[in-house]
Amino acid sequence: MRLFLVYFVLVVAANQVFCAEIQEEKPIVYLIPGQGADARLFKNIELDSSFEVQHINYFTPEKGSGMTEFAKKLSLQIDTTRQFYLVGVSLGGMLAIEMGDFLKPDKIIVISSAKNRKEFPFRYRFQKTIPVYKIIPSPFVKMGARILQPIVEPDRNKDKETFISMLKDKDPKFLSRTVKMILEWDRIEKGENIVHIHGDNDHTLPARNIYFDYLVEDGSHMMVLTKGSLISDLINEELVNAK
């Protein structure tokens, strides 16, 4: 009888611990950076404490990989047994939308991105027709990005060292293959359960082509880093309302 009581107490205690762990599980927010960035892009983003934050880490895709294929491989980093949300910037937003088709997150937030190729500027659509990018060697793609980024998006100079460091650490093949991936993206559907935050001063993906939910005044393509507090507020508003 005494052994039975001891066993009963242990079972009850274990069950209480198990239930407590379940109750403490927070929804996960997965942050997906842009093409020339990594987790450091989100250093100024502060999410509500009721969420757990995880970063999606890039690797160099195989030659010829398309957006959908790359999204499926990156999605292996996502725990779909728990409630989760996707927040993607630029290329990360496009990948999040592709993931949404087969992962069904509770919500997708895209920032400084495009939901399909209809939202691309003309120069992107033109290059799919006349693919000059195919003859440019990978090292020159990285060199071009280092030269053009501060010219096209001067706002990045507000945190110049971070942008230089992130781009410096990028594999030239990653940049070359993801350029091809973006320019050849053939998606025409918007996708479901998506919130789009865009800047009115985005020179990479101009707002005039975008169907956005929030337009950030003086927001550039780099605003996740340069306007972290404001972007954090918008993300938190959407995530908390979605719980």
Side-chain angles (χ1 to χ4, degrees), residues 1 18 23 51 97 102 106 111 134 197 214 235:
M1 184 67 177
F18 177 73
Q23 290 173 357
F51 298 98
I97 289 169
F102 54 87
D106 286 78
I111 306 168
K134 289 186 177 181
I197 304 172
Y214 297 93
I235 294 173

Side-chain angles (χ1 to χ4, degrees), residues 7 32 50 67 82 91 118 144 153 162 178 189 212 222:
Y7 173 76
I32 314 174
S50 61
M67 192 78 72
R82 293 170 59 181
L91 170 63
K118 294 178 183 178
E153 298 291 348
T162 299
T178 51
E189 300 298 327
F212 50 79
M222 314 297 188

Side-chain angles (χ1 to χ4, degrees), residues 145-176:
R146 294 179 68 176
I147 294 170
L148 292 174
Q149 191 186 72
I151 297 173
V152 176
E153 298 291 348
D155 188 49
R156 56 87 88 174
N157 292 320
K158 292 178 181 178
D159 202 327
K160 183 178 178 180
E161 294 306 316
T162 299
F163 282 113
I164 290 175
S165 180
M166 290 191 295
L167 193 55
K168 182 181 178 181
D169 291 342
K170 284 293 178 181
D171 177 1
K173 287 184 178 179
F174 173 87
L175 294 173
S176 179

Side-chain angles (χ1 to χ4, degrees), residues 97-114:
I97 289 169
E98 288 293 325
M99 291 180 191
D101 288 346
F102 54 87
L103 292 183
K104 305 300 180 185
D106 286 78
K107 180 168 283 190
I108 299 171
I109 299 176
V110 299
I111 306 168
S112 306
S113 188

Side-chain angles (χ1 to χ4, degrees), residues 113-132:
S113 188
K115 296 182 289 299
N116 52 56
R117 70 174 298 101
K118 294 178 183 178
E119 297 187 335
F120 282 165
F122 174 75
R123 66 182 182 274
Y124 282 29
R125 301 194 300 270
F126 174 79
Q127 288 187 70
K128 184 178 182 182
T129 305
I130 304 179
V132 178

